[in-house]
């Protein structure tokens, strides 16, 4: 089962996983002198503001991903990059520590997945462009065709997958790529009942809110730094506020993110001090509760069908777009160089998924450790002590700061983060600062 001259590919879903798969397929096919027809089925209007155009995400792009994309000729234009981040500020109940980018060039970009938060359409013309639209347009430039319809049914005709939409007769393809994300159960159900043994990955609900503060307030209160909060709130695993032009994006990750938890977050003094005095949560900020992957899928490929992106395997709690990029590239390489049978995907695509899954296991372990720091004031003080020590040692190796930077940005694997965190020097410093903080009075907040 090979893709040859004139073969056809259907991609269900035009988020990053779908469009990047199309881009890599078409680039590689051109190099191999194979003419390929690629159809991207995507009903969302990425040029629209609010939920109509948005694929619900924090919109942080790691530096390593931007560099990778640049080497592949995918250069994010200034209209897509809303802001750049060059530091993280870690806030605890007692103090704050600043973590600079390990190197000057290691900046992080923030983007909007659609054309901007709900309500931003009042600013005309919009000063920014959707990240997903940029990728979709690039795929179209490379020769893909965009069908603005949702896939509502799948069937097999003479062994080939056939795609059903409400607007056109069914079309059969040599390969079907499932890039439908994890946010709508009925879309995943289509693939689960397609008969290749696929079961969707395990997920939980997260929270994203776009808070309108105005560019000046964003600059004066947040600067070019992501603000990460180590709060002892049950079920909360990660909380951050990221500057994005006129907006501040709030991301909450955990097991059961609900309205009372969000309220509790906003009431925390360490959060209030990052926001303007007297600022009240808007009655209806642009917010959503998307699904986030926390466990693996079952059998995400079969003959002439393969899942990519969130519907397959992602990185735990970070760098989902980076993971989508990695799987899209591997999927294209497998399909064009090796073939599109179940065996081909098992041999040449699945190892990349397995690599991410192994790394995620370490991620789960690190988040379990993180829980210890959240719940113990003593450990929190020890941790902040080490970060401050490293800050004063500028020019020397700062393994713990580097591990934190990579955790928040997604710039490195959990394996590398664990290696940095568990270095004997880090453990020794942690032990020393924790022990010495036992004899210190509680400190007031301060950066
Ligand atoms: C709270 C939160 C914060 C996050 N923050 C970040 C971050 O800062 N950085 C980062 O890298 N990642 C982040 N992620 C992860 C990131 O959003 C995902 O990993 C990424 O969007 C996956 O891309 P995808 O293309 O697989 O899926 P999606 O982006 O969900 O795209 C799926 C697409 O498929 C389309 N579709 C669905 N069903 C059909 C159908 N039946 N027919 C046709 N089209 C269909 C949808 O309209 C959609 O456009 C975050 C996730 C969450 C939940």
């Amino acid at each position: 089962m090979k893709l040859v001259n004139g073969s056809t590919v259907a991609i269900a879903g035009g988020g990053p996983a779908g469009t990047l798969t199309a881009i890599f397929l078409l680039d590689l096919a051109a190099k191999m002198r194979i003419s390929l027809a690629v159809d991207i089925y995507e009903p969302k209007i990425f040029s629209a503001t609010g939920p109509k155009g948005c694929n619900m995400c924090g919109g942080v792009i790691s530096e390593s991903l931007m560099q990778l994309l640049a080497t592949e000729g995918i250069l994010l234009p200034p209209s897509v990059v809303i802001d750049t981040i060059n530091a993280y500020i870690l806030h605890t109940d007692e103090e704050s520590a600043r973590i600079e980018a390990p190197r000057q060039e290691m900046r992080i970009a923030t983007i909007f997945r659609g054309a901007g938060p709900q309500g931003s359409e009042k600013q005309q013309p919009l000063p920014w462009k959707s990240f997903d639209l940029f990728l979709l347009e690039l795929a179209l430039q490379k020769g893909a065709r965009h069908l603005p319809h949702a896939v509502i049914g799948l069937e097999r005709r003479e062994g080939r997958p056939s795609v059903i939409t409400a607007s056109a007769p069914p079309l059969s393809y040599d390969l079907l790529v499932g890039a439908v994300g994890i946010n709508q159960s009925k879309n995943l159900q289509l693939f689960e009942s397609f008969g290749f043994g696929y079961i969707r990955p395990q997920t939980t609900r997260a929270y994203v809110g776009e808070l309108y503060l105005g560019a000046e307030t964003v600059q004066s209160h947040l600067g070019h730094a992501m603000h990460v909060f180590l709060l002892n709130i049950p079920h909360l695993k990660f909380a951050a506020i990221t500057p994005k032009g006129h907006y501040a994006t709030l991301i909450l990750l955990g097991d059961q993110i609900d309205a009372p938890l969000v309220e509790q977050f906003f009431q925390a003094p360490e959060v209030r001090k990052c926001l303007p005095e007297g600022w009240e949560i808007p009655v209806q900020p642009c917010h959503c509760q998307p699904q986030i992957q926390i466990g693996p899928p079952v059998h995400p490929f079969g003959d002439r069908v393969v899942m990519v992106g969130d519907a397959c395997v992602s990185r735990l709690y970070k760098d989902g777009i980076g993971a989508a990029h990695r799987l899209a590239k591997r999927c294209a390489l497998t399909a064009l160089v090796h073939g599109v049978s179940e065996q081909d995907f098992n041999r040449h695509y699945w190892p990349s998924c397995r690599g991410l899954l192994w790394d995620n296991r370490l991620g789960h372990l690190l988040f379990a450790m993180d829980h210890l720091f959240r719940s113990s004031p003593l450990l929190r003080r020890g941790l902040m002590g080490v970060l401050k020590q490293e800050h004063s040692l500028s020019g020397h190796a700062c393994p713990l700061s580097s591990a934190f930077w990579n955790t928040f940005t997604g710039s490195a694997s959990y394996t590398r983060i664990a290696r940095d965190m568990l270095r004997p020097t880090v453990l020794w410093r942690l032990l020393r600062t924790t022990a010495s903080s036992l004899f210190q009075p509680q400190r007031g907040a301060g950066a």
Side-chain angles (χ1 to χ4, degrees), residues 11-20 40-46 52-62 65 109-111 113 131-132 147-153 163-165 178-184 186-188 190-191 204-209 226 242 244 249-253 288-293 308-315 317-325 408-409:
I11 300 181
T19 47
L20 285 168
I40 301 173
Y41 289 83
E42 174 56 66
K44 222 160 223 174
I45 306 160
F46 296 131
K52 245 190 184 170
C54 180
N55 267 330
M56 303 184 284
C57 141
V60 175
I61 306 273
S62 74
L65 177 59
T110 57
I111 48 122
R113 300 290 299 274
F131 174 75
D132 288 26
L147 298 149
H149 316 300
V151 174
I152 56 166
V163 170
I164 303 166
T165 63
V180 292
I182 42 175
N183 278 308
Q184 280 186 349
K186 67 174 194 295
N187 298 322
L188 291 158
L190 285 177
F191 287 88
T204 186
R205 275 204 184 280
Y207 179 96
V208 185
M226 183 188 250
T242 312
K244 227 185 255 179
T249 304
L250 166 63
I251 306 170
L252 300 177
L253 307 178
C288 56
Q289 286 208 261
Q291 297 285 346
I292 196 155
Q293 198 185 102
V308 292
D310 275 12
C312 185
V313 177
S314 190
R315 299 273 296 273
Y317 295 136
K318 64 182 177 131
D319 192 31
I321 297 171
H325 167 271
F408 302 148
T409 62

Side-chain angles (χ1 to χ4, degrees), residues 84-88 98-104 106-108 223-226 405:
T84 49
I85 290 172
N86 50 28
Y88 279 73
R98 191 177 171 94
I99 304 166
E100 302 289 343
R103 290 193 307 275
Q104 189 52 32
M106 283 183 99
R107 296 216 171 124
I108 304 300
H224 287 290
M226 183 188 250
W405 175 266

